[in-house]
Amino acid sequence: MNGPYKPGTPCWIDLMVPDQQAAIDFYCDLFGWQGEVGPPEQGGYSVCGLKGKPVAGIMKAMNPDGSVPDPMPPPVWTTYLSTDALDSTVRAATDAGARVLAGPMDVMDLGRMAVAADPTGAVFGLWEPGSFDGAGIVNEHGALTWNELTTGDTGAAAAFYSAVLPISTAASEMEGAEDYTEFKVGGRAVAGMMDLGKLPPGTPPNWLPYFHVDDVDNIQAAATRAGADVLTPAFDMVAGRMAVLADPQGAPFAVITANVGQQPA
């Protein structure tokens, strides 16, 4: 990726976990990333890289004052959507029924961020770039390739994101995926959405990151050996072969080998 992401496009992901070093070790071993705990002035935030480009962030779960949260929040990946005007986007999100969880705040000269829960309960982030645009490499082995919202009210979610950012929604044109919704920016599919009813009962609304891999089955086996759980075993679907996993601390993520011509991002 060169240059800023268009507003409305997923541009970054990060993970908050109780054991930051264990998470860095797991994902670096699994995907070939490089990463280490960041400096104290950045709260220890780790920007993990691939081929010298930033691909994802990993941070230790802590309160703003540095204390340990009680109760500990569930380990989860957060998807950040790009915006060129954070404050007005946050106001629009609040007016449309979102609940702001953090921010808006400056992140040194890198940019500005906020985290919110949409009206259906799914947590997402917003990023206004400064010197940092977001993921510098996508669609390659070990890098982000897709972001997917799963919610109990797809209609409300579509209306919300379209009201807050320059996003349009449309039914997928892929054969066999007509009940899948695509989020589009400038006519290009940048993310997806499906109904929560397709997942096990009790699954909360969520944004799920997909990482492109060269061999889903090998990655699933390697993740399992490293202590991950398999939530959905590797299977073939219209866009390619994929699996849904949970890392050793419980954070869900998906891996996919996209069919030629179906690589989404």
Side-chain angles (χ1 to χ4, degrees):
M1 292 298 298
N2 296 299
Y5 288 78
K6 291 182 178 180
T9 306
C11 63
W12 187 243
I13 53 170
D14 64 21
L15 173 66
M16 186 168 66
V17 286
D19 190 333
Q20 182 188 23
Q21 186 62 61
I24 292 172
D25 292 343
F26 172 79
Y27 287 99
C28 287
D29 289 345
L30 189 66
F31 293 141
W33 295 354
Q34 299 80 45
E36 58 186 20
V37 175
E41 60 268 24
Q42 296 179 13
Y45 190 94
S46 173
V47 177
C48 296
L50 180 67
K51 300 180 180 179
K53 301 288 188 179
V55 289
I58 298 177
M59 58 184 161
K60 180 179 178 61
M62 65 176 67
N63 293 319
D65 62 3
S67 61
V68 177
D70 184 18
M72 184 68 68
V76 65
W77 283 98
T78 298
T79 290
Y80 289 79
L81 306 177
S82 186
T83 175
D84 56 5
L86 180 67
D87 293 282
S88 61
T89 302
V90 169
R91 286 194 296 271
T94 302
D95 291 344
R99 180 167 56 95
V100 177
L101 306 176
M105 68 183 76
D106 294 325
V107 184
M108 299 176 290
D109 67 343
L110 300 175
R112 305 187 70 232
M113 64 159 287
V115 177
D118 72 26
T120 76
V123 174
F124 68 101
L126 292 165
W127 179 254
E128 179 184 346
S131 63
F132 183 78
D133 293 323
I137 184 170
V138 295
N139 298 338
E140 295 190 23
H141 177 82
L144 184 68
T145 194
W146 192 241
N147 301 76
E148 183 177 83
L149 171 64
T150 305
T151 174
D153 192 335
T154 57
F160 170 77
Y161 289 98
S162 296
V164 171
L165 290 160
I167 291 173
S168 61
T169 59
S172 174
E173 296 181 0
M174 288 190 295
E175 186 176 353
E178 291 78 9
D179 60 346
Y180 191 79
T181 300
E182 293 179 353
F183 285 4
K184 295 187 174 185
V185 170
R188 177 174 174 268
V190 298
M193 178 172 62
M194 64 181 226
D195 191 273
L196 195 60
K198 297 181 181 295
L199 299 184
T203 303
N206 67 91
W207 277 91
L208 181 73
Y210 283 62
F211 298 98
H212 175 73
V213 296
D214 295 334
D215 189 319
V216 167
D217 297 84
N218 281 347
I219 288 292
Q220 177 178 290
T224 302
R225 290 193 298 270
D229 291 325
V230 177
L231 303 182
T232 304
F235 69 100
D236 295 314
M237 39 84 85
V238 63
R241 185 164 179 81
M242 65 168 287
V244 183
L245 310 171
D247 71 24
Q249 297 185 66
F253 65 100
V255 292
I256 186 170
T257 303
N259 292 331
V260 175
Q262 296 291 354
Q263 194 149 311

